[in-house]
Amino acid sequence: RQILGEGVRRAAEAIGKGAEKFAIHVKGLEFPEHNPRKFKSMGVAYATSNVGANHNRGSPMLVERNLVSPELPWKEAVDGFLTEDKGRMTKVYQDVCCVVDSLGICKFMLFWGKLPLTMLTDYYRAITGWEMSFDDFMKTGERIWNLQRAFNVKMGISRKDDTLPERFLKESVDEGPAKGQIVELETMLEEYYRERGLDEEGRPGKGKLRELGLDWITETSFKMRSS
């Protein structure tokens, strides 16, 4: 019981004998219920989340489930089994979730209740007296994500950690909506890295950090790429 209380990654390491294959986690965090074989965008979201497999840190499956936000590029449902555009979709929804979390707003009210995201910029303006455009809103989310990523880089996180358990990458299931499906992660991950402006090791560049007003990170001990 004490071993299991450490989480599945540490428990599997302690148990050994091939137990790692059955430890379903990303970066040490266990999976929620949303199946990345059915919603391929969630494979990218889980793999690249700064805290591990967490749907609250980016839920691009909302588009695949036809819960679209009119301010975002997707106006209708996208097939969950397709891999095209899922890297960009993940990046956008991660940025949205970062800024929504920073405002302390419930995502159910926004996405499932279909309230417009621009309502948040109106609230922000009313409360603080500061102007915030929707572009500012999205840029804030991107800034938060990159700051978190920079911290993870400092802690040793790299592309090798942006992955899924092997069972999702190589093994399908025999029944249900995702029958016969695996997660084609590498193709989607390449697109995601391009959209994020990350290098091949998953590090933000100085150019991206300057664009986001995070120049000060390059002056600390974070080891970022030079361009």
Side-chain angles (χ1 to χ4, degrees), residues 144-172:
I144 293 169
W145 189 93
N146 276 275
L147 182 58
Q148 293 171 345
R149 183 69 174 201
F151 179 84
N152 277 0
V153 169
K154 174 64 176 177
M155 295 295 104
I157 296 294
S158 68
R159 182 164 182 151
K160 72 181 187 307
D161 302 291
D162 290 340
T163 190
L164 298 173
E166 187 175 282
R167 295 175 71 182
F168 288 103
L169 302 176
K170 297 183 178 180
E171 298 179 17
S172 62

Side-chain angles (χ1 to χ4, degrees), residues 143-210:
R143 185 180 298 115
I144 293 169
W145 189 93
N146 276 275
L147 182 58
Q148 293 171 345
R149 183 69 174 201
F151 179 84
N152 277 0
V153 169
K154 174 64 176 177
M155 295 295 104
I157 296 294
S158 68
R159 182 164 182 151
K160 72 181 187 307
D161 302 291
D162 290 340
T163 190
L164 298 173
E166 187 175 282
R167 295 175 71 182
F168 288 103
L169 302 176
K170 297 183 178 180
E171 298 179 17
S172 62
V173 291
D174 297 329
E175 59 184 4
K179 180 179 178 179
Q181 293 287 325
I182 60 170
V183 183
E184 303 89 342
L185 181 62
E186 281 306 309
T187 298
M188 297 185 289
L189 197 61
E190 287 178 10
E191 180 195 359
Y192 176 85
Y193 270 43
R194 289 195 302 270
E195 292 292 328
R196 278 278 179 218
L198 304 176
D199 71 5
E200 64 280 359
E201 290 300 319
R203 298 171 295 193
K206 288 184 178 180
K208 171 57 70 175
L209 295 176
R210 282 194 298 270

Side-chain angles (χ1 to χ4, degrees), residues 62-64 66-78 85 88-89 93 114 117 134:
L62 290 164
V63 179
E64 296 165 327
N66 202 27
L67 293 166
V68 297
S69 296
E71 300 91 345
L72 301 179
W74 302 273
K75 309 306 179 188
E76 58 185 24
V78 173
D85 205 31
R88 180 171 70 115
M89 192 182 296
Y93 272 85
K114 296 189 176 182
L117 293 172
F134 189 69

Side-chain angles (χ1 to χ4, degrees), residues 10-29:
R10 291 183 179 177
E13 290 170 353
I15 295 169
K17 301 179 182 179
E20 291 84 359
K21 179 179 179 179
F22 302 97
I24 305 303
H25 70 89
V26 173
K27 301 181 178 80
L29 184 64

Side-chain angles (χ1 to χ4, degrees), residues 114-126:
K114 296 189 176 182
L115 293 181
L117 293 172
T118 49
M119 185 179 292
L120 297 185
T121 62
D122 294 339
Y123 285 164
Y124 183 86
R125 194 160 45 242

